[in-house]
Amino acid sequence: MLAVEEALKALGLKPVYVDVQGHDRIDKLVSALLAALPDTDAVRRISRALSPARLNQAVEFFNMVRGKAADTPASPTAVLQQVELVSGDLTKVLAQQASSVVLLIDELPFLIDNMLKRGVKEADVNGFLATLRSWRQDGRVPMLLSGSMGLSWLIRERGIAREHFNDLIKGLTPPPLEADDARAMLEALATEEGCTWLTDELLDVVLQELAVTYPSFIQFAFGRLKDNKAHTPDDVRRVFTTHIRPSLDEDFYAQFDTRMNRFEANDKAMARDVLRCVDKAGEAAAALAEIDRVLGSHAASDRDEILTILIEDGFLSVDTRAQTASFSSPLVHTWWQSKPYRR
């Protein structure tokens, strides 16, 4: 996300990054967006509406109107209604920025899931997502939505309406760096940090130890190697074993375990059969006909559904013209290789 922010700034745009993981209210998101707008009377009125005192008054008012207890959770719709009651149409205020503000929402699926777990009604959450879509379309606010959980599961299982995201480009997965670019990034990091000890020999070892050369992986690994003074090939391998791989497993690969664990038992068994089939194809993509044969004992509708789920949840990509399937990224393949049940 940091690289995206820098790229947007270089284009003269104003990125607004908001990490909503661990949150179940939208106050932080709206406040961050407002802070990026010019200091006008309209923006000041909206900001005052989001103060804790005013927000609590609004919540109490809506609870009273609805005949609910005072401790009823404040829905995102209630917060947005308070903003609009005080300041008018927020979408019109945003539209005046002529797409100069770009909203980057990290872990939006966790915010949605947390709101639902807190008891916010599906209708209210869908109302909030419709508002986000209105900001994108009528408010002319481009958005980048990201999350390790994925929105597809929320759409399938939690009643979230798919149409709130039909204006977005989905499934954007940047590829890992080529070997030369990965080496160049490590060299640039070493130069910037004054790490003259990172020799060509050590660079070779680092690149061998890295499972996939995503920029975030490279930067994370470099930081751990620097902190642990890995000045020899054995030091590098030790730091990868004791610090880097366990952290990558926890912070990056665990997302696929989380997604897989949400499957029903039958779907999970089918998914594993499909991934085994894709893995056995090696460098070549697996033929859909072979996957269909492997799943032959299941109903045709179930076979079709599991492929859709695996595609939506980021495990597979399918080439409909070639009638083949492959892992959606090297990251998924590396995760699968670590599973004891892969064979």
Side-chain angles (χ1 to χ4, degrees), residues 87-151:
S87 64
D89 190 353
L90 175 57
T91 302
K92 291 180 181 178
V93 175
L94 295 172
Q96 295 171 5
Q97 307 315 305
S99 302
S100 62
V101 172
V102 182
L103 184 59
L104 315 176
I105 309 178
D106 199 4
E107 299 297 358
L108 176 64
F110 275 105
L111 172 64
I112 296 171
D113 193 42
N114 288 339
M115 288 192 293
L116 292 169
K117 287 178 179 176
R118 196 188 64 173
V120 177
K121 290 184 177 180
E122 290 176 7
D124 287 344
V125 176
N126 278 308
F128 160 61
L129 296 174
T131 298
L132 284 183
R133 184 182 59 190
S134 174
W135 290 353
R136 292 193 297 270
Q137 297 177 347
D138 302 325
R140 301 169 66 187
V141 178
M143 295 183 190
L144 175 62
L145 311 179
S146 66
S148 54
M149 181 192 297
L151 290 167

Side-chain angles (χ1 to χ4, degrees), residues 220-235:
F220 175 81
F222 174 80
R224 302 293 81 73
L225 294 169
K226 176 176 175 289
D227 292 345
N228 289 276
K229 299 179 173 57
H231 295 178
T232 70
D234 286 342
D235 287 342

Side-chain angles (χ1 to χ4, degrees), residues 184-222:
M185 180 176 175
L186 282 167
E187 290 173 343
L189 289 169
T191 299
E192 183 177 347
E193 296 294 329
C195 298
T196 56
W197 48 267
L198 193 60
T199 63
D200 286 340
E201 180 187 14
L202 290 185
L203 284 172
D204 289 339
V205 177
V206 173
L207 292 172
Q208 289 169 6
E209 293 292 318
L210 278 168
V212 284
T213 52
Y214 288 106
S216 57
F217 282 33
I218 294 172
Q219 188 161 12
F220 175 81
F222 174 80

Side-chain angles (χ1 to χ4, degrees), residues 19 80 91 102 170 220 232 259 319 325:
D19 184 356
L80 289 174
T91 302
V102 182
K170 302 176 181 65
F220 175 81
T232 70
R259 296 177 193 181
D319 185 334

Side-chain angles (χ1 to χ4, degrees), residues 163-176:
E163 57 264 28
H164 297 318
F165 307 103
N166 59 13
D167 62 318
L168 297 170
I169 298 173
K170 302 176 181 65
L172 180 61
T173 302

